Amino acid sequence: MKTPIESWDVVVIGAGAAGLMCAIEAARRGRRTLVIDHARAPGEKIRISGGGRCNFTNAGTTPKNFLSANSGFCISALKRYTQQDFIALVRRHGIGFHEKTLGQLFCDGSARQIVDMLLRELNDAGGELRLATSAALPDRVEGGFRLATSAGPLVCASLVVATGGKSIPKMGATGFGYDIAGRFDLKVTPTRPGLVPLTLDPALLERLAPLAGIGLPARATHGKARFDEAILFTHRGLSGPAILQISSYWREGDEIALDLAPGTDVFAALRAARGENGRQAPGSALAALLPRRLAQLAGDTHAAGRNLADLSDKALRQLALAVNEWRFKPAGSEGYRTAEVTLGGVDTADLDQKTMQARAVPGLFFIGEVVDVTGWLGGYNFQWAWSSGWAAGQAA
Ligand code: FDA
């Protein structure tokens, strides 16, 4: 006798932030819901996020904090399940949290509390979780989908793809979600690493080598995108929040402008310093505005061997520009190895913005990072995972 194939209302592939949220909501609606994940533990990216404290949302989330080929796509989901909704859930579970900066909310204790909260919610709602379970590409069958998994074949009415992006392959990130989209003829916009440190060419890197380890507040600009946050000089190039943010907008061959003394008119400051003490080295005058090693390097690069009195207004202006508007071309990025997110993904034109369902494939849903919606640094990516997961959970 043939054994009957295990049958579910909803199968979610990926027990990350988006998949768990979706499964909780679907199970709450009485749908028989299974989450599978090839990893041995659920929510691994939640666990390591925010330096182990999980920046689980941003109090000021708006659609403007997201990149996508269709900037309006995220509006509906973000409105239907807001940061306040997630904050209320965190509060209900008695998890202490605090705002670190710029609306970024972190656990007081550990990111593990967010994973535990989601698992408790899933369990209470009656959802099932199966770990260390891999799946082959699904097939369309009458009334739903058939999925071969390492734990045997399954059929389901609704299939939710929550496999995340390609970032950090060492943690099990795969392009599986894009393959599923391709199988059903959905478009995938080009993917690239986002929120990632930028690298510099060897000549520039050698010049900047003495600065490795120095961090300072700066303004990073690329086109219309602008971020006022810290930057960090590293052995490979540049990192820090302002660089990670601008990296999502940067493309190979583009320049980035850095204001290393935001809010300070360095030309005016240097002119005043020249008036007060013209015998100062330019590097010493700049040290009032910048970390000493950086001030020294700027002075040595643009006014070596001269003191302030030797410098004309034009020369001072040039030096000031190197601080207020340092333009450089990154050589590249550190890639998926260290990128926090993947830009691009399943084309939103093929998805319904209210439910995340594929327009041409009823019952197939894509949520979270696998979709072409990418947040800024600061809790926005988890909010997208919660909101898109919740939206699909109402419909799957
Ligand atoms: P996520 O990647 O979380 O989950 C996907 C799941 O699918 C994984 O469990 C994976 O094992 C599983 N999977 C993949 N392929 C599979 C396959 N073939 N078969 C079965 N299962 C499969 N964001 C933020 O808002 N605040 C923060 O503090 C941070 N911090 C942070 C730190 C670091 C180091 C990284 C790398 C990323 C962040 N992020 C972040 C980004 C955030 O982690 C990310 O946007 C979300 O985890 C995306 O949630 P998803 O559920 O879409 O994917």
Side-chain angles (χ1 to χ4, degrees):
M1 207 177 71
K2 252 173 93 182
T3 35
I5 291 183
E6 205 182 314
S7 170
W8 295 86
D9 294 330
V10 180
V11 169
V12 179
I13 310 179
L20 289 172
M21 177 56 92
C22 175
I24 291 163
E25 289 301 316
R28 237 192 226 144
R29 286 172 44 238
R31 303 282 279 160
R32 293 181 51 258
T33 302
L34 171 71
V35 191
I36 63 166
D37 201 299
H38 64 178
R40 294 193 175 281
E44 278 296 87
K45 274 200 185 155
I46 302 174
R47 189 181 55 78
I48 62 151
S49 68
R53 291 236 160 105
C54 186
N55 177 193
F56 56 78
T57 191
N58 192 293
T61 303
T62 74
K64 289 202 178 97
N65 308 115
F66 296 84
L67 293 85
S68 170
N70 173 3
S71 58
F73 180 82
C74 61
I75 295 173
S76 168
L78 291 174
K79 239 193 212 159
R80 294 180 76 205
Y81 189 83
T82 68
Q83 59 271 34
Q84 294 310 330
D85 292 322
F86 193 78
I87 293 166
L89 177 64
V90 170
R91 283 214 169 98
R92 274 205 302 282
H93 282 257
I95 299 171
F97 63 91
H98 59 279
E99 178 178 337
K100 201 163 164 189
T101 171
L102 304 169
Q104 301 168 8
L105 303 186
F106 286 75
C107 297
D108 291 343
S110 149
R112 184 79 237 174
Q113 294 173 285
I114 299 292
V115 180
D116 291 345
M117 172 186 87
L118 295 168
L119 294 180
R120 210 171 314 141
E121 288 279 324
L122 181 66
N123 189 51
D124 291 352
E128 195 172 309
L129 172 62
R130 228 169 258 173
L131 296 167
T133 304
S134 55
L137 285 173
D139 290 311
R140 192 102 177 91
V141 293
E142 208 192 317
F145 302 87
R146 187 180 195 281
L147 192 64
T149 79
S150 54
L154 308 168
V155 289
C156 57
S158 293
L159 181 65
V160 183
V161 183
T163 46
K166 296 182 190 170
S167 318
I168 325 246
K170 248 168 85 182
M171 290 188 66
T174 64
F176 190 54
Y178 312 122
D179 298 341
I180 297 178
R183 174 138 183 132
F184 293 101
D185 293 327
L186 272 66
K187 291 186 289 301
V188 176
T189 66
T191 53
R192 52 184 286 118
L195 300 181
V196 64
L198 296 173
T199 57
L200 300 173
D201 68 56
L204 184 54
L205 200 56
E206 194 183 326
R207 266 207 293 135
L208 301 183
L211 306 183
I214 291 180
L216 68 154
R219 167 174 294 176
T221 308
H222 177 276
K224 285 189 183 141
R226 193 171 83 180
F227 294 94
D228 285 309
E229 288 186 67
I231 63 162
L232 176 71
F233 289 90
T234 73
H235 291 290
R236 291 197 186 88
L238 284 158
S239 188
I243 295 296
L244 300 187
Q245 299 279 33
I246 213 72
S247 75
S248 294
Y249 292 84
W250 176 78
R251 294 293 176 273
E252 278 74 12
D254 289 356
E255 264 187 358
I256 284 174
L258 284 183
D259 183 346
L260 301 170
T264 302
D265 180 340
V266 173
F267 173 64
L270 286 174
R271 222 157 57 148
R274 185 179 61 187
E276 279 160 26
N277 176 7
R279 280 187 301 190
Q280 275 185 89
S284 309
L286 284 174
L289 308 170
L290 299 172
R292 179 162 290 280
R293 266 186 284 160
L294 175 59
Q296 208 64 54
L297 186 69
D300 290 350
T301 307
H302 296 276
R306 290 178 288 171
N307 61 31
L308 285 177
D310 299 329
L311 298 179
S312 63
D313 274 4
K314 194 174 161 205
L316 276 194
R317 218 179 271 285
Q318 234 176 4
L319 175 56
L321 206 61
V323 177
N324 275 144
E325 199 184 321
W326 173 40
R327 293 185 162 275
F328 68 99
K329 259 189 203 170
S333 82
E334 289 190 6
Y336 290 118
R337 190 178 58 80
T338 59
E340 268 197 23
V341 285
T342 303
L343 292 154
V346 178
D347 194 329
T348 57
D350 288 343
L351 303 178
D352 178 84
Q353 61 186 5
K354 191 166 172 214
T355 61
M356 306 293 134
Q357 186 166 206
R359 292 181 192 284
V361 192
L364 182 64
F365 297 77
F366 290 85
I367 54 174
E369 199 179 318
V370 75
V371 178
D372 173 27
V373 173
T374 307
W376 290 359
L377 184 78
Y380 303 102
N381 283 296
F382 278 137
Q383 187 57 45
W384 170 246
W386 315 134
S387 295
S388 59
W390 187 93
Q394 310 310 309

